[in-house]
Amino acid sequence: MIMTTLVLGMTVDGKIAASDARAPRKPDPADQAHLEYQTSLADLILIGAGTIRAEGSAYTVRDPELLAARAVRGQSPQPITCVVSNSLDLDPSLPFFTQPIERWIFTTSKAIERSREPQPDGTELIAVGEEHLDWHRAYQIFEARAIRKVAALGGGNLTAALFKAGRIDEMWLTVWPVIFGGKDALSPVEGPGFLPMDGPRLHLMETRQLESELFLHYRVLDKPSDPGAVQPT
């Protein structure tokens, strides 16, 4: 069985980034430590194309104790990083493509046919659908490759697609004690959204507080399956 954990942070007003998604944000040591721990448990990290474009590189585990724990569990030093892109519009000069990690890109057969640029060395390009990403096929690949623990790190379009495909099992949400505002600022779940009666319901299992910051752990109770899910670009 594959367990998928969504790990996100948002402001009190429900934003995952400012209106200018590339604007620098003050580092948050507590949230970074939490993210690193959750990432260290995973066999594979899912990241949307927009997130990797904005951040430039994938998140990696650096804490020696967490790296040692991965070795004890028989995991690779770093989780596989899988970028999800329906369009395959990714700049090959991004630092991500030179990081010493195992890199996958989930995309479509049509995008691969349209692409004229060869992928950088060490990057595995995987078609998981003809014109749209097929999450059933994606999870079949995880199963075949012995992936048991997946951490999804956003952004909002990837989160929407995974919820609509019924693939999120649990969620860790950090609430930052700050306001970003802005009607165009990104939210944790982008796309057209759910009807009030159709959205996934969550059960709060755990709450942690560190000074003014909250860490909320939810289990997903309902898993809708919608083949028309929003696709990361």
Side-chain angles (χ1 to χ4, degrees), residues 23 26 45 63 66 99 115 125 131 200:
K26 184 178 179 181
I45 299 167
D63 186 291
L66 298 179
Q99 288 182 276
S115 177
L125 201 58
E131 296 186 13

Side-chain angles (χ1 to χ4, degrees), residues 1 4 33 37 40 45 70 79 89 100 124 148 167 169 182 193 211 230:
M1 179 179 176
T4 301
Y37 175 71
S40 76
I45 299 167
R70 288 184 63 83
D89 180 18
E124 186 171 357
R148 295 291 177 265
R167 294 296 177 177
D169 298 293
E211 296 182 351
V230 173

Side-chain angles (χ1 to χ4, degrees), residues 1 4 10-11 13 26-27 57 63 79 82 85 118 144 158 171 207 211 233:
M1 179 179 176
T4 301
M10 74 173 191
T11 62
D13 60 328
K26 184 178 179 181
S57 58
D63 186 291
C82 180
S85 175
L158 174 62
M171 176 179 180
T207 303
E211 296 182 351
T233 58

Side-chain angles (χ1 to χ4, degrees), residues 56 90-98 120:
L90 295 167
D91 184 349
S93 68
L94 287 170
F96 165 68
F97 288 108
T98 58

Side-chain angles (χ1 to χ4, degrees), residues 5-6 8 163 168-173 202 216-218:
T5 302
L6 177 64
L8 291 177
F163 268 127
I168 301 295
D169 298 293
E170 63 175 5
M171 176 179 180
W172 272 103
L173 178 66
L202 309 178
L216 307 175
H217 187 196
Y218 293 93

Side-chain angles (χ1 to χ4, degrees), residues 24-32 176 213:
R25 188 170 73 88
K26 184 178 179 181
D28 185 328
D31 191 31
Q32 287 297 304
W176 305 318
E213 198 162 57

Side-chain angles (χ1 to χ4, degrees), residues 4-8 16 44-52 82-86 106 133 135 138-139 142 150-168 186-191 194 229-233:
T4 301
T5 302
L6 177 64
V7 186
L8 291 177
I16 60 174
L44 179 141
I45 299 167
L46 281 172
I47 304 178
T51 299
I52 205 69
C82 180
V83 172
V84 182
S85 175
N86 198 56
F106 275 178
L133 297 167
W135 286 104
Y139 274 72
F142 292 158
V150 174
L153 306 185
N157 283 327
L158 174 62
T159 299
L162 290 172
F163 268 127
K164 285 181 178 291
R167 294 296 177 177
I168 301 295
L186 298 175
S187 67
V189 184
E190 290 288 304
F194 296 93
V230 173
Q231 303 295 335
T233 58

